[in-house]
Amino acid sequence: MIKLVLNSVYPSPCINCESLFEFDWQNCICKRCIELIKKEKNLPYCKSCGDGVENCENCKTKTYYNDIEVYCSFKGAIKNLIYEYKLSNRRNLSKIIAEKIEEDIKSYIKDKRIEMIIYVPLHKSIEKQRGFNHLKEILVHILPPYLISDQIEKTRNTKLQTELPKEKRLRNLKNAFRLKKQLKAKNILIFDDVLTTGSTLLELYSTIKNSGYSGNIYGYVITKS
Ligand SMILES: [Zn+2]
Ligand SMILES: [Zn+2]
């Protein structure tokens, strides 16, 4: 109630279109901009390693992921929403993102018979600062807890990938993850928010495969930059 009164006096500008709008449970992004966020098909990227090129050179001789699915491009409303969600630590925005990808990720999980979803971990110090893992927070809105796994941890803090050129990204993440225990699920899914060069996905792939895991590994990323 107080929020509603406040908002009629000081309406919030939408983070994407900047128009002033009345909010009900969030004062971040307007309904019109939320509606702009849609599943995109045929985005160009390598479905084996996540590189920005379809059927990339590297994967001609050796393949990595069984498949990688992306929901949409990292631009416009979803880009602003993800930035706002991560930088301002506004936990409740996870619900908007979750509702957007819900149908798509659920059908992917069913189709690939996924038994375990591992979200990309944050280093403990970052998670403590933020108060939550932003990826896990999205998943808990739409999937049963037994599917969501924290079996991988990040053992050292790394530089922000976005600050590094492609050739340094893999090195930055080298051995930054650790598997807590052997995975038994036959089909697992790695969940991330932004796919750029695929370095994070590749390093996680190595971490899992180096443990002797012989099952199938899939990837689901919300956006591709
Ligand atoms: Zn808007
Ligand atoms: Zn590739």
Side-chain angles (χ1 to χ4, degrees):
M1 188 64 199
I2 296 168
K3 267 189 175 174
L4 275 178
V5 174
L6 266 179
N7 195 52
S8 55
V9 187
Y10 308 105
S12 289
C14 165
I15 52 154
N16 189 52
C17 69
E18 290 173 5
S19 67
L20 300 177
F21 72 105
E22 281 187 32
F23 60 89
D24 35 35
W25 61 274
Q26 52 90 11
N27 60 343
C28 174
I29 183 164
C30 74
K31 282 206 176 81
R32 225 179 36 208
C33 287
I34 294 176
E35 271 163 29
L36 292 176
I37 303 169
K38 287 197 173 87
K39 167 82 180 180
E40 284 171 69
K41 286 189 176 140
N42 306 319
L43 287 169
Y45 61 91
C46 176
K47 289 195 156 70
S48 153
C49 73
D51 188 276
V53 184
E54 241 170 315
N55 306 318
C56 84
E57 279 300 313
N58 281 338
C59 297
K60 279 199 173 128
T61 45
K62 176 185 179 353
T63 54
Y64 299 88
Y65 280 76
N66 288 71
D67 183 55
I68 298 171
E69 181 67 18
V70 175
Y71 181 76
C72 67
S73 312
F74 187 58
K75 63 179 185 199
I78 187 79
K79 182 176 178 179
N80 286 319
L81 184 57
I82 287 178
Y83 270 138
E84 183 70 15
Y85 173 46
K86 283 161 85 169
L87 298 179
S88 67
N89 293 353
R90 292 177 54 174
R91 201 171 187 149
N92 67 346
L93 297 181
S94 59
K95 204 173 143 205
I96 306 175
I97 302 171
E99 282 170 358
K100 277 288 155 184
I101 64 166
E102 179 167 10
E103 202 189 319
D104 190 57
I105 193 170
K106 277 186 175 167
S107 90
Y108 192 75
I109 288 167
K110 199 173 158 202
D111 189 41
K112 306 295 184 199
R113 299 167 192 262
I114 302 295
E115 296 149 39
M116 177 187 263
I117 300 165
I118 300 175
Y119 52 88
V120 177
L122 296 169
H123 187 255
K124 269 194 216 104
S125 62
I126 306 287
E127 187 161 341
K128 209 171 162 193
Q129 233 173 47
R130 194 174 279 174
F132 58 97
N133 177 298
H134 62 287
L135 293 168
K136 179 181 182 186
E137 204 61 28
I138 294 170
L139 294 175
V140 294
H141 286 297
I142 45 181
L143 296 168
Y146 68 83
L147 272 180
I148 307 167
S149 165
D150 62 350
Q151 284 312 315
I152 295 183
E153 62 181 349
K154 196 165 183 190
T155 50
R156 65 183 170 82
N157 215 342
T158 51
K159 283 190 188 149
L160 261 183
Q161 289 289 90
T162 45
E163 289 167 2
L164 299 169
K166 185 180 173 182
E167 62 275 13
K168 290 200 174 152
R169 288 184 176 214
L170 255 185
R171 210 181 323 143
N172 182 42
L173 288 176
K174 197 86 207 136
N175 302 322
F177 300 111
R178 193 182 74 87
L179 199 60
K180 293 185 194 166
K181 61 175 187 200
Q182 278 289 335
L183 302 176
K184 293 206 178 79
K186 236 174 96 187
N187 301 310
I188 62 169
L189 181 68
I190 305 294
F191 180 65
D192 203 358
D193 54 356
V194 186
L195 177 66
T196 307
T197 60
S199 306
T200 306
L201 287 184
L202 265 192
E203 184 56 29
L204 285 166
Y205 180 91
S206 308
T207 305
I208 296 168
K209 283 289 178 185
N210 290 343
S211 74
Y213 180 75
S214 60
N216 301 316
I217 310 181
Y218 295 88
Y220 188 97
V221 191
I222 302 169
T223 63
K224 179 199 171 287
S225 75

